[in-house]
Amino acid sequence: MNDTPQTSEEAPPSNVEQLRSPAYTLAALDQGFLLGDSMRGVRFLLEYAKAEECLRSWGVRSTIVVFGSARVREDGPESHARWYREARAFARVASERGGALTSNGGLRDNVIATGGGPGIMEAANRGAGDAGAPSIGFNITLPEEQQPNPYSTPALTFRFHYFAMRKMHLAMRANALVAFPGGFGTFDELFEILTLRQTKKAPAIPIVLFDEQYWRSAVNFEALIDSGTIDRSDCDLFRFAETSEDIWSELLSCGLGAPGLSCPASQFSRTMSSNAS
């Protein structure tokens, strides 16, 4: 009889805890890691690269940026209805005549680009759609969620977290800026581009303000000149227009490139690239 004590084999250790550990999650799939402070630069890069890749795949070489109040409605007060109507009409004209319909060797020029929201932005995206042309919506995540309007091209409707990256994409391919009446956001975009032009950080792209009476009542340009905070020549950086056809004429007179008139790639993107390097 064998009196040797019997010993049971020990069960192999489990690796369940290791598999469940956040440290084991692939970095690209670890939201806790990607959304942390240390990865802010990476998130910034991702917001640049995703939109850039989509725009390139659609052959978007240059854009016309249209901004204005998100609070304007087609059926609103008379002035609002007019602004909406003219923004829609202008976007159609620009899309038909500017090269957004791929009449330039597969590249799209002067594609309408907006902030992607309602109001004037909606009107501009809608006008491009009236022409059968694509249009871009650079939307932004806000505390009170801003939804994209239903007229921007779905494959060219983006959502950003960072205002700075959104602004960069709005500016990078811009051949022109058209500012309709608006509030803080519109002023922000307008004066951003005006500052880049004033400081010669951007080439001489046309800038047109729609409804001179509104802009002169909202911004006392003469007071800025009289106080010495800007030069009178700084006001030559922009023009005024009162109709959709006026806007198009002013853009052309200020050097906007269009198929048949020559349409080089946006100088803005080249300038920003050289400044960045």
Side-chain angles (χ1 to χ4, degrees):
M1 182 174 181
N2 188 352
D3 294 330
T4 304
Q6 299 293 317
T7 59
S8 60
E9 293 186 6
E10 293 185 7
S14 170
N15 64 354
V16 171
E17 290 188 22
Q18 285 80 5
L19 291 172
R20 290 177 177 174
S21 170
Y24 190 75
T25 304
L26 286 171
L29 302 179
D30 188 344
Q31 283 205 343
F33 170 66
L34 289 175
L35 297 178
D37 287 345
S38 65
M39 289 294 101
R40 183 171 287 111
V42 173
R43 295 196 300 275
F44 210 65
L45 173 60
L46 288 171
E47 289 206 341
Y48 167 78
K50 181 178 180 180
E52 179 71 9
E53 186 173 304
C54 291
L55 291 166
R56 286 178 183 270
S57 71
W58 274 71
V60 178
R61 182 165 62 170
S62 61
T63 62
I64 295 177
V65 175
V66 180
F67 250 81
S69 176
R71 303 183 184 193
V72 167
R73 295 292 180 269
E74 183 178 19
D75 58 354
E78 182 179 351
S79 59
H80 286 206
R82 172 175 166 258
W83 297 337
Y84 187 104
R85 182 173 62 251
E86 293 297 334
R88 180 179 177 182
F90 164 71
R92 177 167 188 165
V93 166
S95 297
E96 290 173 342
R97 305 176 192 174
L101 293 170
T102 321
S103 57
N104 200 25
L107 295 173
R108 300 178 191 270
D109 283 301
N110 300 317
V111 176
I112 294 295
T114 78
I120 293 297
M121 296 172 281
E122 172 189 297
N125 289 127
R126 186 176 180 181
D130 292 340
S135 67
I136 304 163
F138 291 116
N139 220 269
I140 186 84
T141 298
L142 299 174
E144 295 183 8
E145 187 74 16
Q146 176 180 311
Q147 297 293 327
N149 70 66
Y151 298 103
S152 59
T153 301
L156 296 175
T157 300
F158 307 102
R159 183 170 65 161
F160 292 88
H161 174 75
Y162 296 107
F163 268 105
M165 185 51 66
R166 180 192 191 216
K167 286 182 178 181
M168 185 172 175
H169 272 295
L170 281 163
M172 276 185 61
R173 289 175 167 80
N175 267 349
L177 170 68
V178 180
F180 280 78
F184 291 161
T186 302
F187 277 59
D188 181 41
E189 295 297 333
L190 171 61
F191 283 100
E192 177 98 10
I193 301 300
L194 285 174
T195 300
L196 290 172
R197 285 288 300 110
Q198 182 192 50
T199 57
K200 296 182 171 56
K201 285 288 188 178
I205 67 168
I207 300 170
V208 175
L209 312 185
F210 186 85
D211 194 338
E212 183 173 0
Q213 182 179 357
Y214 171 85
W215 285 105
R216 289 199 181 278
S217 64
V219 183
N220 193 333
F221 297 107
E222 290 299 322
L224 294 174
I225 295 169
D226 292 343
S227 66
T229 54
I230 67 171
D231 294 331
R232 184 167 294 279
S233 61
D234 290 331
C235 289
D236 294 335
L237 296 173
F238 57 85
R239 304 277 186 91
F240 294 104
E242 302 302 323
T243 69
S244 57
E245 286 291 345
D246 286 345
I247 299 173
W248 184 248
S249 295
E250 290 291 352
L251 294 181
L252 293 180
S253 69
C254 291
L256 177 74
L261 302 173
S262 84
C263 195
S266 172
Q267 297 179 51
F268 211 139
S269 60
R270 291 199 296 272
T271 301
M272 291 192 72
S273 297
S274 63
N275 287 338
S277 61

